[in-house]
Amino acid sequence: MEKKQVELQAEPRDLVGKKVRFLRRQGLVPGHIYGGGQPTNVQMEARAVRSVIQHSGLNSLITLQIAGSPHPVILRGVRRDSRSGSLLNVDLEEVALDETVHAQIPLVLDGEAPATKAGAVILRLVDHLSLESLPGDLPRAIHVDISHLQETGQTIHVRDLSLPPTIKVLNDPDEPIVKAEQTRAEAGAAAEEQAEQRPAGEEAAPGEAPAGRQEGD
């Protein structure tokens, strides 16, 4: 399905530094555009910017209309007030639609892992992946189906992801991203079960933890 085009209206901004607080009082957000040659300061309606962030997220492609002139930009950064959460400013990168860009895209885990029913915990080893694609092809997030984690110890690697051919993952294909990890309680139970199955009088093999104990305890 084709992505819906996102547009924002902006105006050139003269106020800089501490003076931008007057803009915020008027419901405006200061923005900074880079990447298109000469850096540009703009101002936009805070309500419109919040809507774009909520529905499209970071790294979204936006057509920024400045004085009737369209500028393709990517929303690269957002700064908020630590107390109120209100927008303080945004960073935008002007891009060429026919040239690839790089972005850090977050991972989202989908589904349920059957391994958790056996006591395993699901560890997300990576929060973001580095992607390269045309600006319009950047996804908001990378969804990882963890229902394939059937047993403890199973791992999903970068190479296991299914992404469109228009997107290139820059991470190592062998990098693990999600794992069904054995919990301490599960490891102890496995050791006890192993001890019960050992013939009477047989000692634990060198390097093997005795029943009910793990290495490092």
Side-chain angles (χ1 to χ4, degrees), residues 121-141:
V121 294
I122 303 304
L123 300 181
R124 176 160 44 186
L125 306 176
V126 176
D127 290 326
H128 294 74
L129 288 183
S130 181
L131 302 187
E132 178 183 88
S133 76
L134 293 176
D137 292 332
L138 282 176
R140 180 174 182 177

Side-chain angles (χ1 to χ4, degrees), residues 58-110:
L58 288 179
N59 298 305
S60 56
L61 179 63
I62 301 167
T63 300
L64 197 66
Q65 298 285 352
I66 307 176
S69 177
H71 296 260
V73 299
I74 289 179
L75 180 60
R76 288 298 197 182
V78 176
R79 192 161 69 89
R80 298 179 181 271
D81 184 276
S82 58
R83 294 182 178 179
S84 66
S86 59
L87 290 174
L88 295 178
N89 57 44
V90 295
D91 288 328
L92 304 156
E93 180 186 1
E94 188 160 2
V95 296
L97 297 178
D98 58 351
E99 295 181 6
T100 59
V101 294
H102 294 175
Q104 294 291 319
I105 305 298
L107 294 179
V108 175
L109 306 187
D110 290 339

